[in-house]
């Protein structure tokens, strides 16, 4: 249902832009491991996909200079976003393992609120509530607290990065997105994170397996599964 018009954008019944999609994740590359194929698919359909990344992932390369790592990871994320047709990546610059404390200290609520109000997403994708990685769960909590505090109404879906098959989430409503046409873009995008080469090689098999497993759910070659939390 379309009700309002603002700056030539038709808004939905919640006052959001029906073509605006937001991804919120902890580290650069989570957005590709999770909804990478969906980002490319939506971009091809003309949707505006913005990405917000909480940390620079500076702990990922402990032997290298912090500044060098940050620069490399920001550039990779921006190049990948461009390749997939995204509308830009914003880094909040929080330190890994310290999201909860720094979210308040660094006054992230108004910053995140401002970005959400600017993008007006009708769908937000973020980490699962039961992700094994503490940063991912912490981000999930902070994001939901933010949109609830804002009383922002939109669909929020969770994606998995590490969990292979999530039987615990059976009771959630899920959507399965056919990414057969963009799966190769997802693979190429992952390979573009050259600073993460080592861990990527180890995880690549799980990307294939999950895409195949999700695909078998709706009888297509490759898919991504998301669970509705709002
Ligand atoms: Zn992560």
């Amino acid at each position: 249902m379309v009700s309002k018009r603002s700056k030539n954008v038709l808004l939905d019944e919640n006052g959001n832009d029906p073509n605006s999609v937001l991804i919120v994740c902890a580290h650069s590359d989570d957005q590709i491991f999770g909804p990478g194929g969906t980002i490319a698919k939506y971009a091809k359909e003309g949707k505006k996909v913005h990405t917000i990344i909480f940390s620079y992932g500076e702990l990922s390369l402990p032997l290298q200079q912090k500044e060098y790592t940050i620069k490399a990871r920001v550039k990779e994320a921006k190049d990948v976003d461009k390749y997939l047709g995204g509308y830009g990546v914003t880094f909040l610059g929080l330190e890994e393992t310290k999201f909860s404390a720094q979210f308040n200290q660094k006054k992230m609520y108004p910053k995140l609120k401002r970005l959400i109000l600017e993008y007006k997403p009708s769908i937000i994708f973020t980490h699962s509530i039961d992700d094994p990685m503490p940063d991912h769960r912490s981000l999930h909590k902070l994001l939901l607290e933010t949109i609830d505090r804002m009383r922002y109404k939109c669909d929020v879906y969770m994606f998995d990065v590490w969990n292979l098959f999530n039987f615990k989430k059976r009771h959630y409503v899920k959507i399965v997105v056919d990414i057969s046409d963009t799966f190769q873009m997802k693979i190429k995008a992952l390979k573009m994170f050259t600073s993460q080469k080592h861990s990527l090689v180890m995880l690549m098999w799980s990307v294939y397996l999950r895409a195949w497993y999700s695909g078998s759910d709706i009888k297509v070659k490759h898919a991504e599964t998301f669970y509705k939390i709002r």
Side-chain angles (χ1 to χ4, degrees):
M1 200 182 87
V2 171
S3 59
K4 283 178 251 169
R5 186 182 276 272
S6 137
K7 281 187 198 161
N8 300 320
V9 175
L10 287 169
L11 303 178
D12 68 12
E13 68 270 27
N14 291 320
N16 305 329
D17 180 350
N19 282 314
S20 175
V21 177
L22 177 63
I23 320 284
V24 187
C25 63
H27 315 98
S28 170
D29 74 15
D30 289 335
Q31 76 278 27
I32 310 301
F33 273 113
T38 300
I39 294 176
K41 183 188 175 109
Y42 282 177
K44 279 183 185 216
E45 291 170 359
K47 291 193 192 310
K48 295 170 262 184
V49 185
H50 290 94
T51 304
I52 297 173
I53 303 175
F54 267 35
S55 81
Y56 289 117
E58 70 278 0
L59 295 182
S60 65
L61 294 173
L63 296 177
Q64 313 220 18
Q65 294 284 320
K66 202 171 154 182
E67 208 174 303
Y68 169 81
T69 307
I70 290 174
K71 259 191 197 158
R73 299 214 69 181
V74 169
K75 187 178 184 309
E76 282 168 3
K78 293 195 165 167
D79 288 348
V80 165
D81 187 62
K82 213 177 221 177
Y83 169 64
L84 296 180
Y87 262 61
V89 181
T90 304
F91 284 86
L92 296 188
L94 298 179
E95 277 175 72
E96 292 175 277
T97 74
K98 295 177 188 162
F99 288 176
S100 287
Q102 290 194 347
F103 194 82
N104 289 326
Q105 280 162 16
K106 297 192 170 184
K107 298 189 172 46
M108 284 298 139
Y109 171 72
K111 185 164 185 181
L112 192 52
K113 180 181 173 183
R114 185 174 50 75
L115 289 169
I116 292 171
L117 292 178
E118 183 188 328
Y119 304 149
K120 295 188 185 66
S122 54
I123 307 179
I124 299 178
F125 290 97
T126 194
H127 291 290
S128 287
I129 196 163
D130 60 352
D131 193 293
M133 193 175 227
D135 271 352
H136 295 177
R137 289 197 306 274
S138 169
L139 179 144
H140 173 99
K141 214 173 139 257
L142 292 164
L143 174 70
L144 287 191
E145 280 170 10
T146 298
I147 57 174
D148 288 348
R149 190 171 157 193
M150 291 170 65
R151 296 175 196 277
Y152 191 83
K153 297 266 175 288
C154 74
D155 290 341
V156 181
Y157 287 95
M158 306 185 288
F159 58 79
D160 290 319
V161 174
W162 301 96
N163 314 17
L164 251 195
F165 309 123
N166 213 312
F167 298 111
K168 272 193 275 178
K169 292 214 244 336
R170 271 185 197 153
H171 58 287
Y172 287 106
V173 170
K174 67 176 178 183
I175 50 166
V176 184
V177 178
D178 178 2
I179 59 156
S180 304
D181 290 342
T182 54
F183 181 67
Q184 286 314 319
M185 287 179 80
K186 173 172 179 153
I187 296 298
K188 192 183 165 194
L190 285 170
K191 288 179 178 164
M192 286 168 75
F193 291 101
T194 44
S195 72
Q196 307 298 303
K197 217 175 197 166
H198 187 68
S199 51
L200 281 174
V201 169
M202 294 194 304
L203 286 168
M204 211 45 114
W205 64 273
S206 73
V207 175
Y208 281 89
L209 192 56
R210 257 185 317 139
W212 168 80
Y213 185 76
S214 285
S216 70
D217 218 7
I218 54 166
K219 298 187 171 55
V220 300
K221 214 169 161 193
H222 299 108
E224 285 168 344
T225 302
F226 305 101
Y227 301 89
K228 195 167 193 271
I229 187 103
R230 283 287 188 280

